[in-house]
Amino acid sequence: MTLYGVGLGPGEPDLVSVRGKRILEDVDVVYSPGRLSRTVATEHVPEERIGDLDFPMTRDEEKLRRAWKDAAAEIAPRAREGDAAFVTLGDPNVYSTFGHLRRTLDAFHPDVDLEVVPGVSAMTAFATALGVEIPAGSGLALREADQGRSPTGPDRMILFKVTDAPATHEGLVDAGYDVTYGRRLFMAQGETVVTDDPDEIDERDYYTLAYATRSNAAEELATAKFETADDRSGPVTEERAEGVACGDESPEVRSDD
């Protein structure tokens, strides 16, 4: 018997993976750590198979440890007797509460079998939502920016937990970055916002990320030459594209001359 850690994706119910949906439909009980993940889970399983867990909103580590021990004590018997799932938004192993549950089970209930079902993370979904491309060979760092922090790194960064966008923005701009913000991307709950103006999202919201890139971060991409060819002389044929990519065609010479 198994406890599955199931990633629900960013928040829209139809972004749950096929495997995740199948497991949610098959297990005996689905545990949810919060309201948002519960909302997504109930799109795939009936209410009577949802098990709610109580986690205090606190930074007190002792209270949090007690809460996780209580959660593990609730889940472990169900996972021994049958199959159960613990759901989280995003991916269970990326900025997720599932890590706390796994460590607590390992410490107090090591006989419980665990299996992780990955989910779409904001770390990948943001690129589609913001309309950006991370080309092969790019340096990309993942940073946390809670409470106005402005971490720096390579030419491209994804910043999670942007809870004070104006303060974070000031530090990133000073470090030479252009910044775009995304709030509640691919989430069914709340308003989705994409903006480069931090004042539009100055109120605290845990589900806000930033994509920061230095202006000199552009790579020389072979296929970018296709756009140049198209701009010069209309549709790009296979022969013209090959010639332009190899540097054989000048602006004055067209492939049909």
Side-chain angles (χ1 to χ4, degrees):
M1 303 303 177
T2 303
L3 172 66
Y4 296 91
V6 179
L8 297 176
E12 291 186 352
D14 59 354
L15 285 179
V16 175
S17 71
V18 174
R19 180 183 297 181
K21 178 177 172 62
R22 175 178 56 79
I23 288 173
L24 293 180
E25 292 171 345
D26 290 346
V27 297
D28 302 308
V29 60
V30 176
Y31 289 99
S32 166
R35 178 176 55 84
L36 295 181
S37 57
R38 191 184 199 281
T39 300
V40 179
T42 53
E43 292 289 326
H44 301 285
V45 297
E47 289 268 359
E48 58 267 23
R49 286 204 288 117
I50 300 289
D52 293 313
L53 301 170
D54 184 26
F55 296 108
M57 296 295 291
T58 178
R59 293 180 182 271
D60 186 313
E61 292 189 356
E62 184 57 36
K63 290 182 179 179
L64 290 172
R65 280 192 289 268
R66 284 200 301 269
W68 282 108
K69 286 178 67 176
D70 290 345
E74 161 73 19
I75 293 172
R78 302 298 298 270
R80 293 190 189 101
E81 298 165 2
D83 289 330
F86 181 89
V87 295
T88 68
L89 293 182
D91 184 277
N93 286 334
V94 180
Y95 282 82
S96 169
T97 56
F98 180 74
H100 295 297
L101 177 62
R102 185 188 65 246
R103 286 185 289 274
T104 307
L105 287 169
D106 286 346
F108 297 99
H109 309 277
D111 58 321
V112 173
D113 291 329
L114 294 174
E115 183 175 326
V116 174
V117 180
V120 177
S121 170
M123 184 175 69
T124 51
F126 91 94
T128 297
L130 270 59
V132 299
E133 177 189 5
I134 311 299
S138 302
L140 183 66
L142 181 64
R143 298 284 191 269
E144 186 173 318
D146 194 17
Q147 299 180 347
R149 289 197 292 269
S150 303
T152 58
D155 290 342
R156 289 183 173 86
M157 296 189 300
I158 308 168
L159 280 64
F160 280 87
K161 302 181 184 179
V162 182
T163 54
D164 186 345
T168 294
H169 189 83
E170 182 178 359
L172 291 173
V173 171
D174 288 345
Y177 288 94
D178 298 322
V179 192
T180 303
Y181 299 91
R183 171 166 291 177
R184 294 185 176 254
L185 304 177
F186 293 107
M187 293 185 70
Q189 310 85 5
E191 180 186 6
T192 295
V193 179
V194 176
T195 180
D196 57 6
D197 182 358
D199 292 329
E200 290 188 21
I201 51 172
D202 58 353
E203 73 279 8
R204 180 183 176 90
D205 190 315
Y206 178 85
Y207 297 101
T208 303
L209 59 76
Y211 175 57
T213 178
R214 288 194 171 98
S215 56
N216 60 354
E219 286 84 4
E220 290 294 330
L221 303 174
T223 47
K225 294 183 180 296
F226 296 162
E227 297 177 4
T228 303
D230 190 33
D231 291 343
R232 280 206 303 258
S233 51
V236 182
T237 64
E238 183 176 350
E239 292 79 7
R240 285 199 59 252
E242 182 177 352
V244 172
C246 297
D248 295 337
E249 186 177 344
S250 68
E252 292 77 20
V253 180
R254 294 183 54 175
S255 59
D256 55 356
D257 288 344

